[in-house]
Amino acid sequence: MVRNTGKHACGIIIGDQPIHNLVPVTLQEGDLTTQYAKGPAEDLGLLKMDFLGLKTLTVISDAETSVKRLEGMRDFDIEKITLEDSKTYELLNQGKTVGVFQLESSGMQSLCKQIGLSVFEEIIALVALYRPGPMQFIPQFIRGKKDAKTIEVPHPLLRELVSETYGVMVYQEQVMEAARIIAGYTLGGADILRRAMGKKIASVMEAQKEVFVAGANKTHGMSRKMALGIFAILDKFAAYGFNKSHSAAYAMLSYRTAYLKANYPVEFMAALLSSEQGNADKVAHFIDEATAMDIRVLSPDINTSRQSFTPVVDDPEDEAAGRPGSIRFGLGAIKGVGDAAAIKVIEEREANGPFTDLDEFLERMDSKAVNRRVLECLVKTGAFDFSLEPRGAIFERLEESINYATARQRDKEAGQNSFFDMLADTPDANSDSGGATNSNRTFDMSKQFPKNEMLAYEKELLGFYVSGHPLDDYNGLVEALTNFDLDKIDDLGDRIEFQICGIASGVTTKLSRRDNRPWAFFNLGTLKGSVQMNCYADPYGDYGHNLENEKLVLIKGSVFRNEEGVRLSVSEIYPLETSMPDQIKHITWILDPKGDTEAFFYDLREALDSTRGSTTSDLAFKLDDNTIVTAPTASSLRWKVNTDEWAKLRSQPAVVGCILQTAPVELKKRERRWKK
């Protein structure tokens, strides 16, 4: 019995007359739909088409628009790029496919590396094969590509047909063509065979089997036994066959996104970030990828940011450092600003030139379009940093500046000019501009937001840390406390115990199927990127409170590996600040004997006296590139490591390095929850 109704995400029924003349219809969520399911509707002769709306098309279009803004690239057309670009295949074969359509999962990245893609047709095949059914044929495909002697052909007549896919029948079109070659099917007849095989329609299959045998005998004089053998092979592949035209269209989008990422990385990543604007987790994920590509993601700027994420490829700082460019946060990407205010700012900037500082911005912008809330968000996220005035100083005088600008606008509307306005209209003989510039102003630099407050504002309003990272204060310590490289997570063995430091975010709670107890998965952000972790019911009950409010944490757990990849299972979670001192057992300070070692000794002694703890120290002197000599300090001088003193000591000119010894990773023994 039909118990409910449903609506296809993109299925459209097409007829040669109004649909209600042919089938009963109904309204679902405001959309006109047939009351018949797709099967009966097609049986009646109606055409069902799927029209997909893909976000990737917008990403490609936005990236293309940005590329056209580059010097000499006005005629760039993504439709005309070569399908033989070496940079693109190099990127694919390295598995650097984050953001590449259809190829960004860990499984696809691994397959790209294994296959060694060299032609566009292999991308088509890869898209068609990477699905639950036909995945079983992937090893055969890879073997055939690497060694032509291993290619298995169903019949010599089909050798040319399957050569493109190394002996594997990947596509429905290949099954149809095989039926035409072996048994003389027409295209229409071959389509009927394909449908019967794909949907396992027993009655039609039995009839088609006889048609195939008779056709094979008539066309090639083939015996019944051989014809039935080929029919069985076609039946096997048809069950998993994929529509090649569909796969080719998807593969084209895969290639174009890979091409843009390989050749125009800044423009592509800006477009990718813009497509996920409003999705904090996705934005953070793609910002991590941009950082891995040596692309800086900068705070918004009212003079350079557009509505969405904006590529910057002419920054002298990037050129000097050899970076491909930077990406500015878009004004519309700031929480609390919105598209309407962003558009007004951009329109004013393009019409009358860039802004010089906050005060000129307030005079030029309509207070109805850019209200107090919008201004606060712009200041907190660094949109006025170009003026060199600290964010804290701007924020402190914001109310006064708004009132002054409002009064000025009111006077201008009334036709009144102040004495200072008249002076401003008179050119200064000793100045080209006739007015003061930011370089002539002095700011109270002490009024900058504290670092943790500034980062909190960025995280709240941008969804990401731009000016730094909360782990920056632990630089050198978190590396010592982490026992695996995030870049080599796929190389970890099964059931290996791990330890890592980071900031927990995106905590999602679920209920376990077995006993309905809460568990969670979350993202752990580190200085090198982010990784997903699972915290099951027992550890979540003991340590879940430490995941609240995006705390800095130290996590211990175990690695589990299966056919889907690596899973990190959390066993213990501790606040980083309080757990770190006991984890650092010993520090060897390596000094340059020609440096100012005396200043370092005074600072070290002050730190040892001020905070008593459990960490011991050694002093070492670097004699040459291969030799250091060490001298132990008194075992009674034990230090409680803290970030302030650590940073002060590390920054001493005489310090050339440190060697840290940490506690071994040992998980607590957990008692069995259920006992006999």
Side-chain angles (χ1 to χ4, degrees):
M1 293 185 63
V2 178
R3 299 181 182 276
N4 51 42
T5 59
K7 182 173 59 175
H8 196 288
C10 55
I12 306 294
I13 291 289
I14 299 174
D16 61 352
Q17 55 184 288
I19 296 298
H20 62 257
N21 290 347
L22 304 171
V23 292
V25 295
T26 185
L27 285 174
Q28 293 190 62
E29 301 173 357
D31 293 328
L32 185 69
T33 61
T34 64
Q35 289 189 37
Y36 292 165
K38 67 169 186 172
E42 287 183 314
D43 290 341
L44 289 171
L46 294 171
L47 176 65
K48 182 185 79 72
M49 297 288 288
D50 289 357
F51 293 95
L52 306 183
L54 295 177
K55 192 182 294 184
T56 300
L57 295 172
T58 303
V59 172
I60 292 173
S61 177
D62 288 349
E64 183 181 29
T65 300
S66 295
V67 172
K68 286 181 176 179
R69 292 195 184 106
L70 299 175
E71 187 176 350
M73 297 300 295
R74 183 177 296 179
D75 297 328
F76 177 76
D77 186 351
I78 194 68
E79 299 279 347
K80 297 178 181 177
I81 62 172
T82 176
L83 294 179
E84 300 172 354
D85 181 65
S86 59
K87 282 187 178 180
T88 302
Y89 289 107
E90 183 180 350
L91 178 138
L92 292 173
N93 293 331
Q94 290 174 349
K96 297 179 178 179
T97 56
V98 172
V100 175
F101 183 68
Q102 291 282 300
L103 305 182
E104 61 180 330
S105 69
S106 58
M108 274 294 200
Q109 290 179 12
S110 176
L111 269 181
C112 288
K113 294 177 184 177
Q114 290 179 49
I115 292 176
L117 300 165
S118 55
V119 292
F120 179 68
E121 285 72 19
E122 290 173 353
I123 303 176
I124 301 176
L126 181 59
V127 171
L129 284 169
Y130 193 74
R131 291 176 298 112
M135 285 182 77
Q136 62 182 296
F137 303 119
I138 290 176
Q140 181 182 340
F141 183 92
I142 295 174
R143 282 197 306 272
K145 174 177 169 58
K146 297 188 180 302
D147 184 0
K149 295 178 182 177
T150 65
I151 295 176
E152 299 174 8
V153 180
H155 190 277
L157 290 170
L158 302 179
R159 184 177 300 279
E160 186 177 344
L161 177 66
V162 298
S163 62
E164 174 191 331
T165 49
Y166 306 112
V168 181
M169 281 200 178
V170 177
Y171 312 115
Q172 293 174 350
E173 287 88 342
Q174 285 177 307
V175 174
M176 293 170 62
E177 182 66 8
R180 190 190 67 78
I181 293 171
I182 299 293
Y185 271 69
T186 64
L187 290 177
D191 191 48
I192 293 172
L193 176 65
R194 174 194 64 80
R195 285 191 178 204
M197 286 180 166
K199 298 182 180 180
K200 297 297 180 187
I201 307 172
S203 59
V204 180
M205 282 281 288
E206 196 60 37
Q208 287 298 316
K209 187 182 294 184
E210 296 304 320
V211 173
F212 188 89
V213 170
N217 181 264
K218 180 181 178 181
T219 307
H220 299 287
M222 195 175 291
S223 68
R224 179 181 181 84
K225 182 179 179 180
M226 182 177 289
L228 287 176
I230 296 174
F231 187 87
I233 293 172
L234 297 184
D235 187 23
K236 169 188 171 184
F237 283 108
Y240 306 114
F242 196 70
N243 183 262
K244 185 177 183 181
S245 58
H246 184 124
S247 186
Y250 269 23
M252 182 61 76
L253 296 185
S254 301
Y255 181 86
R256 286 176 179 172
T257 49
Y259 178 90
L260 288 167
K261 186 176 183 182
N263 293 276
Y264 304 98
V266 180
E267 290 76 11
F268 174 73
M269 293 306 298
L272 198 60
L273 285 163
S274 298
S275 73
E276 297 295 348
Q277 198 160 293
N279 186 335
D281 290 340
K282 281 282 191 179
V283 167
H285 173 63
F286 289 134
I287 286 178
D288 288 343
E289 177 65 9
T291 303
M293 296 166 66
D294 203 19
I295 298 172
R296 294 184 305 160
V297 179
L298 307 173
S299 58
D301 187 305
I302 58 168
N303 279 335
T304 56
S305 293
R306 302 191 68 80
Q307 187 176 344
S308 301
F309 286 85
T310 309
V312 180
V313 294
D314 54 359
D315 190 313
E317 188 176 335
D318 287 328
E319 292 178 6
R323 288 187 290 260
S326 304
I327 297 173
R328 282 272 179 204
F329 257 88
L331 298 178
I334 306 172
K335 185 178 179 181
V337 173
D339 290 338
I343 290 170
K344 289 290 184 183
V345 171
I346 294 167
E347 286 176 348
E348 169 61 26
R349 183 181 75 207
E350 292 181 346
N352 299 304
F355 305 96
T356 57
D357 54 23
L358 170 72
D359 301 299
E360 196 216 10
F361 179 83
L362 291 172
E363 284 191 29
R364 288 168 56 180
M365 293 304 303
D366 185 349
S367 59
K368 294 178 182 177
V370 183
N371 57 32
R372 169 67 183 266
R373 167 66 177 156
V374 171
L375 286 167
E376 287 182 353
C377 295
L378 289 171
V379 172
K380 287 177 178 178
T381 55
F384 293 97
D385 284 358
F386 70 93
S387 70
L388 305 183
E389 185 174 5
R391 299 180 196 182
I394 296 177
F395 193 78
E396 185 176 296
R397 70 178 182 88
L398 190 57
E399 183 72 36
E400 179 186 344
S401 300
I402 291 172
N403 292 337
Y404 178 72
T406 302
R408 292 262 294 167
Q409 287 180 352
R410 193 166 49 242
D411 289 344
K412 285 184 178 180
E413 289 171 2
Q416 299 177 8
N417 285 331
S418 69
F419 175 68
F420 296 104
D421 289 328
M422 291 186 289
L423 285 178
D425 291 337
T426 305
D428 187 344
N430 297 320
S431 173
D432 292 334
S433 62
T437 64
N438 287 334
S439 59
N440 295 328
R441 297 179 59 185
T442 57
F443 305 117
D444 186 352
M445 301 306 292
S446 66
K447 291 183 178 179
Q448 179 62 281
F449 287 135
K451 182 180 178 181
N452 61 340
E453 185 178 343
M454 181 167 67
L455 292 176
Y457 285 143
E458 291 179 352
K459 180 67 173 176
E460 175 193 355
L461 299 173
L462 301 176
F464 190 77
Y465 304 109
V466 178
S467 301
H469 194 282
L471 285 173
D472 287 343
D473 293 337
Y474 296 84
N475 194 14
L477 297 172
V478 293
E479 289 85 351
L481 293 172
T482 300
N483 71 341
F484 72 94
D485 191 339
L486 203 61
D487 295 334
K488 299 179 180 178
I489 191 170
D490 290 334
D491 298 334
L492 293 176
D494 189 30
R495 302 185 185 276
I496 300 295
E497 294 179 351
F498 73 85
Q499 178 172 284
I500 190 172
C501 306
I503 182 165
S505 64
V507 180
T508 303
T509 307
K510 302 237 177 208
L511 295 177
S512 63
R513 294 180 182 177
R514 179 182 300 177
D515 50 15
N516 215 35
R517 296 166 66 208
W519 66 281
F521 63 88
F522 60 93
N523 289 322
L524 187 77
T526 71
L527 291 169
K528 286 191 172 183
S530 63
V531 63
Q532 183 173 303
M533 299 196 163
N534 297 323
C535 184
Y536 294 111
D538 284 337
Y540 185 71
D542 295 338
Y543 301 102
H545 60 280
N546 288 329
L547 294 175
E548 298 170 358
N549 303 320
E550 299 198 353
K551 291 179 180 176
L552 291 171
V553 290
L554 182 146
I555 290 178
K556 297 182 179 183
S558 299
V559 177
F560 292 94
R561 178 180 288 279
N562 56 28
E563 54 280 355
E564 295 180 2
V566 171
R567 174 169 51 87
L568 301 181
S569 182
V570 173
S571 299
E572 302 166 36
I573 307 172
Y574 303 102
L576 180 58
E577 183 66 30
T578 54
S579 62
M580 175 194 63
D582 292 333
Q583 294 293 318
I584 306 294
K585 295 301 183 183
H586 186 84
I587 300 176
T588 299
W589 299 96
I590 304 175
L591 308 176
D592 179 0
K594 298 178 181 178
D596 187 2
T597 55
E598 185 176 352
F600 171 79
F601 292 147
Y602 275 111
D603 287 342
L604 177 61
R605 182 68 200 216
E606 184 180 344
L608 294 173
D609 289 341
S610 63
T611 52
R612 295 289 181 175
S614 59
T615 304
T616 56
S617 302
D618 278 349
L619 299 176
F621 295 92
K622 182 180 179 181
L623 302 184
D624 55 47
D625 289 341
N626 300 312
T627 309
I628 61 171
V629 293
T630 61
T633 59
S635 59
S636 60
L637 296 177
R638 294 175 178 265
W639 181 36
K640 184 176 182 180
V641 181
N642 61 83
T643 54
D644 290 339
E645 291 174 340
W646 165 258
K648 183 178 179 181
L649 290 168
R650 278 290 303 272
S651 63
Q652 283 283 358
V655 176
V656 294
C658 299
I659 300 173
L660 282 75
Q661 296 176 16
T662 60
V665 180
E666 295 179 347
L667 303 184
K668 289 183 177 179
K669 298 293 184 183
R670 185 177 295 278
E671 292 185 8
R672 295 182 63 177
R673 186 162 173 262
W674 305 109
K675 296 182 179 179
K676 291 183 180 179

